[in-house]
Amino acid sequence: MYIHIPFCASKCDYCAFATWTDRDHLVDAYLDSLRIEIRSAVDAGMPEADTVFVGGGTPTLVRPSDLASVLSTVPVRAGAEVTVECNPDDVTPAHMEAYRSVGVNRVSLGMQSMSLDVLSALGRTHDPENVERAVATIVDSAMPSFNLDLIYGVAGESLSDWKQTVESALAFDPPHISAYGLTVEAGTPLAAQPDRHPDDDDQADKYELVDDMLTDAGLENYEVSNWSLPGHESVHNFLYWDQDDYRGFGCAAHSHRAGRRWWNVRTPDRYIELIARGDSVESAAETLDDSVRRREGLQLGLRTRHGVERSAFSEETLELLEGILVPHPGDPGRVVLTRRGRLMANDVSTRLVD
Ligand SMILES: C[S@@+](CC[C@H](N)C(=O)[O-])C[C@H]1O[C@@H](n2cnc3c(N)ncnc32)[C@H](O)[C@@H]1O
Ligand code: SF4
């Protein structure tokens, strides 16, 4: 289950997520609407969730007791992974206490960088001290697992800035790190300023550096942008990569069931209005045919350490991609990307057999 919280204190200029900075007056009505949408799915027979991910936007902007009250309406299987995305500015002991009281057992912190210059180039509102305070609060709350999100490749970030960020992240002993190359998303202010766009070769150098440093610290790469200690992989993310069923709640949330995908209306205003009227919040849907679904499954699998069946590539391609695709260490019938391959995952995907 995914629950979307579409509110932020300020908008980062690289971000294309469905989130607003001028809708605080809608927060209470939005949370009420979420409870209604969740309750009606439960009444319609929705099974207990194997994983729950509360993302945004900025879930920590919502009063912790209010978010806990939404989470308490969600039926979850015993032992389910329940994650809340947190911004470093907001994390307090009260947040962690309220989250723990309703079964949250993982938080994902939007750390991004430990360099003040890089954070300000990203347009972030937090500084390195916020990150230190937030991580200390998370650790003190005995949260069973946590992730740190990092971004590399913003204009002006040097390789040594990035090295210092990764060193600082590792000093927190995180069980999980997601490191994302800054992506230029269409329609964002960043997209309109080509002189600030990241450089592929610089991002490749930074990817190799973070992979070396995290691997040396015992964090294993299990998907192109994700590293974890054994047993701390994100179960929720694997559900997307394995093309399992998921149900999204809230505006702009996406759902998938057996090849049918649908998504809710994008704005919180419209979402609240439709729920109040008792109407469907579904905006549109698509049904994937088997070949498209299979192809997507291969593209997603290729990005993970599980890889794909060897037969997904022709023998000619396998020969051509020597050093990029190699046999899976535990299963000769599958192939996985090497690190060089991970740098070119999208290009390798275009060589999958039809
Ligand atoms: C849904 S966002 C929200 C998390 C939280 N609001 C925050 O920003 O700290 C989850 C993560 O996606 C990453 N992200 C968002 N936009 C990105 C972009 N254009 N390029 C690379 N990473 C991005 C950031 O690392 C962010 O922490
Ligand atoms: S990156 Fe996070 S904080 Fe920034 S606008 Fe997007 S969701 Fe909000």
Side-chain angles (χ1 to χ4, degrees):
M1 181 183 293
Y2 173 78
I3 300 175
H4 189 61
I5 305 293
F7 309 106
C8 283
S10 76
K11 184 91 188 175
C12 307
D13 72 358
Y14 55 86
C15 177
F17 287 94
T19 170
W20 286 265
T21 55
D22 57 355
R23 302 282 201 280
D24 290 359
H25 56 288
L26 293 181
V27 172
D28 290 338
Y30 184 79
L31 298 179
D32 286 341
S33 305
L34 271 180
R35 283 187 207 97
I36 294 169
E37 195 195 4
I38 294 169
R39 208 169 303 127
S40 76
V42 172
D43 291 345
M46 182 178 67
E48 288 181 333
D50 295 317
T51 69
V52 181
F53 193 98
V54 185
T58 307
T60 39
L61 268 191
V62 170
R63 266 190 306 277
S65 55
D66 289 347
L67 192 67
S69 130
V70 171
L71 275 169
S72 65
T73 63
V74 174
V76 290
R77 180 181 61 68
E81 177 188 276
V82 184
T83 306
V84 178
E85 218 160 47
C86 297
N87 276 38
D89 328 53
D90 308 326
V91 175
T92 66
H95 282 82
M96 295 301 111
E97 213 173 288
Y99 297 169
R100 293 290 287 133
S101 74
V102 287
V104 173
N105 48 27
R106 185 172 184 271
V107 299
S108 178
L109 185 73
M111 168 175 167
Q112 321 306 354
S113 173
M114 269 310 237
S115 150
L116 198 51
D117 290 345
V118 171
L119 285 168
S120 83
L122 283 167
R124 300 295 301 197
T125 52
H126 68 268
D127 60 26
E129 286 76 44
N130 290 130
V131 174
E132 274 166 25
R133 256 196 310 274
V135 176
T137 305
I138 293 164
V139 170
D140 287 350
S141 74
M143 192 58 72
S145 198
F146 68 98
N147 166 56
L148 302 174
D149 272 344
L150 303 176
I151 293 186
Y152 56 91
V154 72
E157 181 191 53
S158 66
L159 197 60
S160 81
D161 287 332
W162 176 234
K163 185 166 182 238
Q164 185 221 318
T165 286
V166 181
E167 270 165 4
S168 308
L170 284 172
F172 296 132
D173 275 334
H176 192 289
I177 288 188
S178 302
Y180 302 112
L182 178 67
T183 308
V184 179
E185 301 286 353
T188 58
L190 177 65
Q193 292 173 270
D195 53 317
R196 293 178 54 223
H197 290 185
D199 174 78
D200 281 353
D201 291 328
D202 173 64
Q203 285 197 320
D205 290 343
K206 288 173 179 165
Y207 185 82
E208 288 179 340
L209 182 69
V210 70
D211 186 52
D212 281 341
M213 292 174 72
L214 299 188
T215 307
D216 287 350
L219 292 147
E220 194 186 327
N221 178 263
Y222 70 97
E223 193 272 347
V224 171
S225 308
N226 289 280
W227 290 258
S228 82
L229 294 179
H232 286 269
E233 296 84 358
S234 161
V235 186
H236 187 82
N237 281 346
F238 260 115
L239 183 145
Y240 296 134
W241 301 328
D242 288 345
Q243 296 182 301
D244 269 338
D245 293 346
Y246 50 86
R247 179 68 198 260
F249 292 96
C251 63
H254 285 234
S255 303
H256 168 254
R257 189 169 177 187
R260 180 176 186 271
R261 281 202 294 231
W262 68 99
W263 47 96
N264 288 352
V265 292
R266 188 169 166 85
T267 70
D269 315 61
R270 185 99 184 98
Y271 173 77
I272 292 166
E273 193 183 305
L274 289 167
I275 294 273
R277 289 214 305 253
D279 287 343
S280 164
V281 290
E282 187 174 313
S283 167
E286 63 186 0
T287 301
L288 304 179
D289 69 39
D290 287 350
S291 69
V292 175
R293 210 172 158 205
R294 182 177 145 72
R295 193 171 186 84
E296 279 194 12
L298 292 172
Q299 286 167 347
L300 292 164
L302 186 65
R303 296 175 62 86
T304 72
R305 69 167 172 230
H306 299 157
V308 296
E309 308 113 64
R310 197 183 152 84
S311 58
F313 292 97
S314 69
E315 284 306 317
E316 199 187 352
T317 302
L318 289 171
E319 235 168 81
L320 185 74
L321 297 184
E322 204 192 321
I324 289 176
L325 275 173
V326 290
H328 186 288
D331 181 351
R334 300 182 75 78
V335 287
V336 290
L337 292 168
T338 59
R339 182 168 73 185
R340 242 183 103 216
R342 282 189 259 134
L343 286 166
M344 294 179 268
N346 292 345
D347 295 315
V348 177
S349 281
T350 65
R351 309 240 175 194
L352 287 160
V353 292
D354 279 328

